[in-house]
Amino acid sequence: MDAPAKPVAIPQSEIALLANILALATRNMTNLSTLITQLSVELGHSPDPHLQRVGQRVLADVDVLSKSLDTQWELIGALARYCPLLARTPLVKPTLVTEIHITVLPDRA
């Protein structure tokens, strides 16, 4: 019977590369979420009630996505303990729109 193979240690530079790829992908998803939020707000200003409802639904969906992205940022930050280089380069998490102030409500038909 053969002895089990020893796990291969991944060099820290490869972990840093993976962490940077994950951070870039997460940053891009965060930026896309911000754009979708802005579009949803614009839909909410539409005179068309259907478009207003779509905008409101999408805002609720983006809120759920935002929470998942927060978790993803935390997990990426946790990679710092495996890669000292990553620990010296703080991950900057872009902020999503978390609150919208509405000053004029659309007319309800």
Side-chain angles (χ1 to χ4, degrees):
M1 183 174 248
D2 293 334
K6 291 183 181 179
V8 177
I10 300 173
Q12 287 187 356
S13 61
E14 291 183 16
I15 292 174
L17 177 63
L18 176 61
N20 284 321
I21 291 169
L22 288 171
L24 178 62
T26 304
R27 190 172 296 116
N28 288 339
M29 286 189 291
T30 301
N31 290 337
L32 284 171
S33 297
T34 300
L35 292 172
I36 292 169
T37 299
Q38 291 169 349
L39 177 62
S40 298
V41 169
E42 290 299 319
L43 288 174
H45 291 126
S46 170
D48 182 341
H50 174 72
L51 291 178
Q52 291 174 9
R53 286 190 303 275
V54 168
Q56 291 169 355
R57 279 195 310 267
V58 171
L59 281 175
D61 293 341
V62 168
D63 184 52
V64 172
L65 177 61
S66 173
K67 290 178 176 85
S68 295
L69 288 170
D70 286 343
T71 301
Q72 200 163 331
W73 279 112
E74 290 172 18
L75 293 172
I76 291 169
L79 289 173
R81 75 180 131 165
Y82 300 108
C83 180
L85 179 63
L86 183 61
R88 290 187 305 231
T89 309
L91 297 171
V92 179
K93 179 183 111 179
T95 56
L96 282 177
V97 175
T98 56
E99 188 173 324
I100 298 171
H101 296 278
I102 300 174
T103 56
V104 178
L105 294 174
D107 293 332
R108 296 259 183 203

